[in-house]
């Protein structure tokens, strides 16, 4: 504790024990190297075959304790493992591990990077030059939060859609006001809506049946409030204040007839339009 954590400890020869020489309010954060973080990244994916078992839940609790001690440039929310699903359950590709490690180096050294990025709505990859701020596990996937000088805003990039990454020698000054949680706090998932006009949507959705029970059991957003419309919890009203409606629209649609949008009108319109497109004949 004294030599490795730097705590103010001294030995008392009269009492034959150690004591603090000054107040200590908290222990220092665990220092994790690049190799440690890459190893944790691999270990997270190694749990896939155990998903849903008692062993997976036990291990996820242990990983959560480690994740809480990660440095500020990295965020890992492994406490949600038992609620998660994985797109790549077969394992992690070597390219993913290399990319993850290189991005960690860039974030910690404040070095610019460029890469090709294929947006979900794009027909082909486009080159981006950014200042990497943070690598995090968000909504069960790994993302890079980086400042894009060309767009003068922080953008979110999915690691699996990044290719041809290059670490540049050019360094940047990280914005001291940036905070990953604050940046993502207004959205319902990965989208931050940071570049859009500041606006809050008060969302109200009614759930019934199994959907009411599942929604009522989990924390979906930091601002959420859940009100039981029936004493047994079979019908509830979900409310949250969001900065945008893109992801909440997809979330509502995923529950099918078990969800009904009560407001706002804009969300009702989005869901209605999507349902029309889904059922429209070719």
């Amino acid at each position: 504790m004294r030599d490795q954590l730097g705590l103010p400890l001294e030995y008392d020869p009269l009492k034959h024990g150690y004591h603090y020489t000054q107040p200590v309010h908290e222990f220092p954060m665990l220092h994790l190297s690049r190799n440690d973080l890459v190893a944790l990244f691999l270990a997270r994916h190694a749990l896939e075959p155990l998903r849903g078992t008692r062993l997976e839940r036990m291990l996820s609790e242990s990983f959560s304790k480690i994740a809480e001690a990660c440095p500020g440039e990295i965020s890992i929310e492994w406490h949600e493992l038992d609620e998660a699903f994985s797109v790549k359950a077969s394992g992690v590709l070597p390219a993913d591990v290399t990319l993850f490690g290189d991005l960690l180096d860039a974030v910690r050294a404040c070095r610019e990077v460029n890469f090709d990025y294929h947006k979900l709505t794009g027909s082909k990859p486009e080159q981006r030059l950014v200042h990497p701020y943070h690598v995090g596990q968000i909504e069960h996937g790994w993302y890079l939060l980086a400042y894009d000088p060309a767009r003068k805003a922080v953008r979110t990039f999915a690691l699996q859609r990044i290719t041809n990454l290059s670490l540049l020698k050019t360094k940047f000054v990280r914005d001291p006001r940036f905070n990953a949680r604050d940046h993502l706090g207004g959205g319902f998932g990965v989208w931050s809506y940071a570049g859009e006009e500041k606006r809050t949507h008060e969302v109200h959705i009614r759930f019934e049946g199994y959907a009411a029970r599942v929604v009522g059991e989990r924390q979906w957003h930091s601002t959420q409030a859940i009100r039981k419309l029936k004493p047994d919890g079979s019908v509830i009203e979900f409310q949250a204040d969001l900065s945008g409606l893109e992801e909440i629209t997809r979330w509502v649609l995923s529950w099918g007839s078990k969800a009904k949008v009560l407001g706002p009108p804009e969300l009702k319109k989005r869901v209605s339009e999507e349902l029309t497109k889904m059922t429209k004949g070719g």
Side-chain angles (χ1 to χ4, degrees):
M1 292 172 65
R2 180 191 63 197
D3 300 334
Q4 296 184 17
L5 300 181
L7 293 173
L9 282 175
E10 284 190 5
Y11 183 75
D12 189 327
L14 297 179
K15 296 182 178 180
H16 303 289
Y18 288 87
H19 65 95
Y20 287 131
T21 58
Q22 62 188 59
V24 175
H25 301 290
E26 60 182 15
F27 285 92
M29 299 290 282
L30 178 66
H31 295 289
L32 298 176
S33 69
R34 175 190 191 268
N35 291 340
D36 293 332
L37 292 168
V38 171
L40 288 173
F41 171 73
L42 288 169
R44 161 67 177 87
H45 287 273
L47 291 179
E48 296 295 344
L50 303 175
R51 185 163 303 285
T53 68
R54 185 193 305 179
L55 180 59
E56 180 262 346
R57 287 191 291 271
M58 180 183 70
L59 291 174
S60 69
E61 291 175 1
S62 298
F63 277 121
S64 294
K65 294 177 182 178
I66 300 173
E68 291 172 0
C70 283
E73 296 87 355
I74 314 297
S75 65
I76 310 173
E77 298 182 359
W78 282 327
H79 62 279
E80 297 180 350
L81 274 177
D82 58 341
E83 300 172 4
F85 63 92
S86 174
V87 177
K88 297 193 325 185
S90 59
V92 184
L93 298 175
D96 296 333
V97 180
T98 302
L99 176 65
F100 182 81
D102 289 344
L103 284 174
L104 288 184
D105 288 342
V107 168
R108 302 174 103 177
C110 291
R111 289 175 57 184
E112 290 185 343
V113 299
N114 61 28
F115 50 78
D116 293 330
Y117 190 71
H118 200 150
K119 296 192 299 184
L120 283 175
T121 56
S123 58
K124 60 181 182 179
E126 59 183 37
Q127 194 171 68
R128 307 292 280 267
L129 186 150
V130 301
H131 300 169
Y133 279 2
H134 186 93
V135 177
Q137 186 203 29
I138 310 163
E139 289 293 294
H140 321 308
W142 286 94
Y143 293 86
L144 167 69
L145 304 184
Y147 178 76
D148 188 328
R151 292 161 179 80
K152 297 182 179 180
V154 175
R155 292 287 187 257
T156 304
F157 303 94
L159 263 62
Q160 66 267 25
R161 295 199 292 276
I162 295 176
T163 55
N164 301 323
L165 176 75
S166 295
L167 276 68
L168 307 180
K169 294 182 179 180
T170 312
K171 291 204 169 188
F172 63 88
V173 177
R174 178 188 170 94
D175 186 348
R177 299 169 298 177
F178 174 79
N179 180 280
R181 294 189 181 277
D182 292 343
H183 177 74
L184 296 165
F188 193 69
V190 176
W191 287 35
S192 66
Y193 304 96
E196 301 181 13
E197 180 182 354
K198 292 296 182 181
R199 182 183 175 191
T200 299
H201 303 269
E202 187 174 298
V203 171
H204 293 264
I205 306 165
R206 187 176 71 196
F207 291 94
E208 61 182 40
Y210 76 88
R213 301 193 186 282
V214 174
V215 171
E217 291 171 350
R218 303 182 184 181
Q219 181 72 28
W220 303 91
H221 194 264
S222 59
T223 67
Q224 78 177 44
I226 293 178
R227 182 167 62 95
K228 289 185 178 181
L229 301 183
K230 285 190 176 182
D232 63 355
S234 61
V235 182
I236 65 169
E237 180 180 334
F238 173 92
Q239 184 267 323
D241 298 324
L242 306 177
S243 300
L245 299 175
E246 182 70 29
E247 289 172 305
I248 193 71
T249 300
R250 297 198 296 269
W251 189 63
V252 170
L253 290 168
S254 72
W255 295 106
S257 62
K258 299 301 181 182
K260 181 179 180 180
V261 177
L262 305 178
E266 185 179 346
L267 179 56
K268 283 187 175 183
K269 181 180 178 182
R270 281 172 172 259
V271 172
S272 178
E273 289 177 348
E274 285 297 319
L275 287 172
T276 299
K277 293 175 183 177
M278 292 167 65
T279 57
K280 189 176 180 180

